[in-house]
Amino acid sequence: MDTTSTRARDDIRTAPRALATEAVHAGRDDLARQGLHAPPIDLSTTYPSYDSRGEAARIDAFATTGAEPDGPPVYGRLGNPTVARFETALARLEGTEAAVAFASGMAALSAVLLVRGSMGLRHVVAVRPLYGCSDHLLTAGLLGSEVTWTDPAGVADALRPDTGLVLVESPANPTLAEVDLRALAHACGSVPLLVDNTFATPVLQRPAEHGARLILHSATKYLGGHGDVLAGVVACDEEFAGRLRQVRFATGGVLHPLAGYLLLRGLSTLPVRVRAASATAAELARRLAADPRITRVHYPRIGGAMVAFEVYGDPHEVIGAVRLITPAVSLGSVDTLIQHPASISHRIVDADDRRGAGVSDRLLRMSVGLEDVEDLWSDLDAALGGRPESGAGNPASKHEAPALAN
């Protein structure tokens, strides 16, 4: 074998690479050396070992630090090689030391809260709006946490000695409100800032570059990208990852290997999907902002494939009238989805808190997919129905023109 050419190939793999290249190759760098092209799926729940002393030592080491055990795998709840490939790839895309995958986004958030709570740091400072179930988990104190809700400017004043976490979602679900992450991270001081990056993905924003120490994804959405996998993941430093692995092992919130395989495959097309859907979303946002049937359009400055808009008419009639667009919860799939947050994703949030966070009863949230923009607009136009009556006011004065992505 030509060792010089082998070293050159290894150098290429370890050199800094563009996001699109990492999306295709991260987590797969060892395949060619094994004579493989597609990543293998390891469905084993347990693994044979004739060295029980060595296995015991690996388990003891895991119990101490949560580091991934050296040597062969031990048990599926301790770790899985296929899932580990996805974790490696996502960490590379987010620019963190590690990532830990879970059975869902809520399992991932729960694990973070349990880690901080185990250290006696049960207080959370959070900025609304958040995904409705995240809001409920904090408000209800289901994991023993206590939450203080504030706006970004009030984060520093809300911190206490027992504050274990500051939580923000930017762009937020469902209003797409954005936060200055660098300023917020500075306000947090030594308290970790967790950014839910589900809507933006590392294609549009890498929170770690702005000072966030924890990055959360509902990997069900854009990371998977095809509506066929449930998963969550936290990108972070290796020390925190070790604690997350220990919680995952103890609570059993593990990701199935097949889901890990689908997520790794989804990452390879993530930049292409996000950029294509974002271009369509920006055009739809522009058309909606000029439409007299719409009172307000929400579209983030950084762009993205999510659009939210408030209608003059009955939003439920719009949901019932779409034909090409799918009326369904979730987001980030290759097909376009629309839902009414006040009825579905944020129904569990107190109505006054929901409206105070800007989630009006007439707001619709749309996750734009990969269909042709003219077909999507034709379906939206028909679903929105006739123009509002002349006595309904001046819609143009209420429009919030979207800031289209560059």
Side-chain angles (χ1 to χ4, degrees):
M1 178 180 291
D2 185 343
T3 56
T4 301
S5 61
T6 301
R7 281 196 299 271
R9 288 195 296 270
D10 289 343
D11 289 343
I12 290 172
R13 292 188 187 103
T14 57
R17 303 186 293 198
L19 183 83
T21 304
E22 288 286 23
V24 173
H25 290 280
R28 305 168 178 84
D29 289 334
D30 64 324
L31 294 180
R33 291 192 294 272
Q34 299 183 59
L36 300 172
H37 184 240
I41 307 175
D42 188 332
L43 295 173
S44 298
T45 58
T46 192
Y47 300 85
S49 173
Y50 294 95
D51 180 10
S52 57
R53 292 185 181 88
E55 192 168 61
R58 295 202 304 278
I59 293 174
D60 285 347
F62 177 84
T64 302
T65 66
E68 294 180 290
D70 292 329
V74 177
Y75 182 58
R77 190 152 46 85
L78 201 64
N80 173 272
T82 305
V83 172
R85 289 183 181 276
F86 163 66
E87 293 172 330
T88 296
L90 192 277
R92 294 264 283 276
L93 291 180
E94 283 290 7
T96 60
E97 292 178 346
V100 183
F102 294 85
S104 70
M106 291 308 301
L109 176 58
S110 296
V112 172
L113 295 175
L114 288 171
V115 167
R116 300 304 281 168
S118 69
M119 303 168 69
L121 302 171
R122 298 184 178 278
H123 179 241
V124 177
V125 175
V127 177
R128 280 190 171 117
L130 294 175
Y131 170 53
C133 287
S134 299
D135 189 309
H136 177 67
L137 180 66
L138 294 174
T139 302
L142 295 175
L143 297 179
S145 58
E146 177 189 351
V147 62
T148 297
W149 296 101
T150 184
D151 58 29
V155 165
D157 291 336
L159 298 178
R160 305 187 328 206
D162 64 336
T163 302
L165 192 69
V166 175
L167 175 58
V168 67
E169 186 174 1
S170 181
N173 187 353
T175 65
L176 305 177
E178 293 171 276
V179 172
D180 183 337
L181 297 180
R182 190 174 300 280
L184 190 60
H186 179 74
C188 291
S190 62
V191 177
L193 171 63
L194 184 152
V195 176
D196 187 328
N197 203 33
T198 298
F199 278 20
T201 80
V203 177
L204 300 178
Q205 148 181 296
R206 286 158 49 111
E209 295 177 350
H210 301 285
R213 292 169 57 187
L214 305 169
I215 299 98
L216 173 72
H217 287 271
S218 172
T220 306
K221 313 309 195 292
Y222 289 105
L223 303 189
H226 293 76
D228 55 8
V229 58
L230 283 173
V233 62
V234 179
C236 55
D237 61 36
E238 177 55 35
E239 181 181 359
F240 200 91
R243 293 182 177 273
L244 288 173
R245 294 185 195 108
Q246 290 174 323
V247 168
R248 183 176 64 181
F249 175 74
T251 61
V254 296
L255 183 66
H256 191 275
L258 180 57
Y261 171 85
L262 291 173
L263 288 168
L264 184 64
R265 187 176 69 170
L267 288 185
S268 64
T269 60
L270 178 66
V272 176
R273 288 186 287 104
V274 168
R275 288 166 182 155
S278 297
T280 300
E283 174 60 19
L284 292 176
R286 185 189 68 79
R287 297 186 189 189
L288 288 166
D291 196 303
R293 295 167 294 181
I294 307 301
T295 65
R296 192 176 186 186
V297 174
H298 306 258
Y299 190 68
R301 290 185 300 275
I302 65 169
M306 300 298 300
V307 180
F309 55 95
E310 298 171 41
V311 298
Y312 266 119
D314 186 345
H316 300 284
E317 291 184 1
V318 178
I319 293 291
V322 292
R323 293 295 177 264
L324 175 65
I325 298 169
T326 303
V329 299
S330 199
L331 56 109
S333 186
V334 291
D335 60 323
T336 299
L337 310 177
I338 193 169
Q339 65 116 331
H340 182 240
S343 295
I344 309 294
S345 62
H346 289 69
R347 186 68 176 180
I348 201 168
V349 180
D350 177 80
D352 289 338
D353 291 335
R354 189 170 66 228
R355 296 184 188 111
V359 186
S360 79
D361 291 341
R362 292 184 181 272
L363 181 74
L364 293 170
R365 189 195 75 187
M366 185 167 62
S367 167
V368 178
L370 300 180
E371 303 95 337
D372 185 85
V373 65
E374 297 300 337
D375 290 329
L376 290 173
W377 179 249
S378 178
D379 193 37
L380 264 183
D381 183 45
L384 287 168
R387 297 296 193 258
E389 297 180 5
S390 58
N394 179 14
S397 67
K398 297 184 179 181
H399 284 169
E400 181 179 274
L404 302 182
N406 293 326

